[in-house]
Each structure stands twice: as structure tokens, then as C-alpha cells.
């Protein structure tokens, strides 16, 4: 804290999903700069209008394919402490999102995993804020998984593993998702394959 000071808070908002959870609303309200992402996939105007009402002083930047000029992000905002931002949280902290990581030592069946993930997101997509992972499906390198709520981006096949750990590692960030239930359901799909 003696060597760094906060220049500004940048918050990204997905043009496809907008502000669906109280956490995202609070982050957008506290931001010095707002970046609307995925404008190549969805019209940013409805999200921009919502952001303008929520935070009328923050500049709004639209990003297409993740392209944002650094000068648009680092504007030399007035130094402040984000803890000074006041808001009223009316819900219990038990409803805040949490992250959990699943690891699997044995390779997963890619087809079974795809069906399992599709069914999970269909049933619980509003509860799954993010899913990311490296999957061992028995190839030379892993498959990179990246998803936001109901949308899973095309998987990327890496030619090699980044380290000696070849276990599948899947991180979920969401509400009311239990590790044991995820592990049981994925094991059942993988075992059936």
C-alpha cells in the first residue's frame, strides 16, 4: 500500500448477458470506466443505456473481439479507495458467488463431457457465472474450456500441456453449486461413455 495507489476501477460488462446479478450491478456502479465486451456478438445499446442510468459519470467503451485502446482504460482517474463506495446490500452474503475447482486424474470422454456440460448449463445456466478449465481427453495437449452462463466458447486444443500436471481442472464460479453434485453427475456421464 505504500508503493501503489489506485488510479481507477475498470469494470467489464458482457453485451450478451448484461447485468443479471447484484454483484455485477455493484461492480458497474463503482467503476471509473465501463467496458462493454462482446459487441461483435450482441447489440451494446441496451446494456449501455442501463450502465448510463446506473453510473452516469463513467465513460463507456465498447470492445469488439477484446480490442480496447489502453488510453481508454487508463485515464488518470482521481485517486480513491473503492472501499469508500457506499451501497446497500439487501441480500444475505450466503448468496454471493463462490468458486470451486474440480480435478480428475483420469482422461475424460470428450463427448460425454460435452453432453454433461450442455445439460448442466441448460438446467443451471443462470447459476453458473463462469466456467473455465483444462481438460485431459487423452490427446497430446489439453482442451481449453471457457464459458459464461449459457454460452460456451469454441474449445481450443493446445498442442502440449503447460506443465507436468495433466489432470483435468475445471473451475466454476456461481451460486448454489455444490462440488459433490457436480463430481457425481460428471462421473456418471463419463462412466456411461
Amino acid at each position: 500500500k505504500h508503493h501503489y495507489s489506485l488510479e481507477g476501477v475498470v469494470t467489464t460488462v458482457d453485451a450478451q448477458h448484461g447485468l443479471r446479478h447484484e454483484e455485477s450491478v455493484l461492480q458497474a456502479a463503482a467503476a471509473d470506466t465501463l467496458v462493454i465486451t462482446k459487441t461483435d456478438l450482441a447489440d451494446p445499446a441496451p446494456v449501455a443505456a442501463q450502465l448510463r442510468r446506473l453510473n452516469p459519470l463513467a465513460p463507456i467503451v465498447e470492445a469488439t473481439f477484446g480490442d480496447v485502446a489502453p488510453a481508454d482504460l487508463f485515464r488518470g482517474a482521481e485517486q480513491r479507495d473503492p472501499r469508500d463506495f457506499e451501497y446497500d446490500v439487501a441480500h444475505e452474503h450466503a448468496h454471493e458467488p463462490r468458486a470451486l475447482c474440480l480435478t480428475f486424474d483420469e482422461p475424460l470422454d470428450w463427448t460425454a463431457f460435452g453432453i454433461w456440460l450442455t445439460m448442466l448449463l441448460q438446467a443451471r445456466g443462470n447459476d453458473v457465472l463462469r466456467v473455465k478449465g483444462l481438460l485431459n481427453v487423452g490427446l497430446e495437449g489439453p482442451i481449453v474450456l471457457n464459458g459464461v452462463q449459457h454460452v460456451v466458447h469454441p474449445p481450443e486444443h493446445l498442442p502440449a500441456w503447460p506443465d507436468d500436471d495433466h489432470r483435468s481442472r475445471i473451475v466454476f464460479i456461481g451460486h448454489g453449486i455444490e462440488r459433490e453434485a457436480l463430481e457425481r453427475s460428471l462421473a456418471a456421464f463419463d462412466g456411461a461413455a
Side-chain angles (χ1 to χ4, degrees), residues 101-144:
C101 181
L102 305 181
T103 57
F104 296 90
D105 295 327
E106 299 298 320
L108 296 170
D109 181 275
W110 175 237
T111 302
F113 179 84
I115 294 169
W116 173 80
L117 185 61
T118 300
M119 292 180 72
L120 172 68
L121 295 179
Q122 183 66 33
R124 302 284 306 273
N126 289 336
D127 295 328
V128 177
L129 302 179
R130 294 291 306 221
V131 58
K132 289 187 169 209
L134 289 176
L135 303 179
N136 181 346
V137 295
L139 300 174
E140 198 64 28
I143 293 178
V144 177

Side-chain angles (χ1 to χ4, degrees), residues 13 34 36 43-54 60 62:
V13 181
L34 296 160
I36 302 176
D43 178 12
V47 172
Q50 184 180 14
L51 292 173
R52 182 57 52 228
R53 288 189 303 274
L54 182 64
I60 297 175
E62 294 180 8

Side-chain angles (χ1 to χ4, degrees), residues 140-163:
E140 198 64 28
I143 293 178
V144 177
L145 178 69
N146 185 10
V148 179
Q149 292 186 313
H150 296 283
V151 178
V152 176
H153 301 287
E156 180 182 351
H157 297 257
L158 297 182
W161 285 86
D163 55 30

Side-chain angles (χ1 to χ4, degrees), residues 9-193:
V9 175
V10 178
T11 298
T12 61
V13 181
D14 186 315
Q16 286 183 302
H17 299 104
L19 302 172
R20 292 190 178 178
H21 298 281
E22 184 173 351
E23 293 83 7
S24 60
V25 171
L26 296 175
Q27 290 174 12
D32 295 305
T33 302
L34 296 160
V35 179
I36 302 176
T37 63
K38 299 183 186 173
T39 59
D40 50 300
L41 300 175
D43 178 12
V47 172
Q50 184 180 14
L51 292 173
R52 182 57 52 228
R53 288 189 303 274
L54 182 64
N55 189 341
L57 299 179
I60 297 175
V61 178
E62 294 180 8
T64 303
F65 295 106
D67 187 23
V68 179
D72 289 341
L73 301 179
F74 306 106
R75 300 170 180 265
E78 178 182 328
Q79 292 182 359
R80 66 186 182 97
D81 187 332
R83 292 171 295 190
D84 294 338
F85 180 73
E86 304 240 352
Y87 53 87
D88 179 25
V89 180
H91 72 293
E92 296 292 325
H93 289 291
H95 297 293
E96 291 180 359
R98 66 184 190 120
L100 57 93
C101 181
L102 305 181
T103 57
F104 296 90
D105 295 327
E106 299 298 320
L108 296 170
D109 181 275
W110 175 237
T111 302
F113 179 84
I115 294 169
W116 173 80
L117 185 61
T118 300
M119 292 180 72
L120 172 68
L121 295 179
Q122 183 66 33
R124 302 284 306 273
N126 289 336
D127 295 328
V128 177
L129 302 179
R130 294 291 306 221
V131 58
K132 289 187 169 209
L134 289 176
L135 303 179
N136 181 346
V137 295
L139 300 174
E140 198 64 28
I143 293 178
V144 177
L145 178 69
N146 185 10
V148 179
Q149 292 186 313
H150 296 283
V151 178
V152 176
H153 301 287
E156 180 182 351
H157 297 257
L158 297 182
W161 285 86
D163 55 30
D164 291 333
D165 186 356
H166 293 193
R167 294 176 300 161
S168 293
R169 301 179 292 264
I170 310 161
V171 176
F172 289 89
I173 300 174
H175 299 280
I177 298 172
E178 299 299 327
R179 174 189 312 278
E180 295 77 19
L182 290 176
E183 288 174 340
R184 275 196 317 270
S185 65
L186 179 53
F189 271 81
D190 196 58

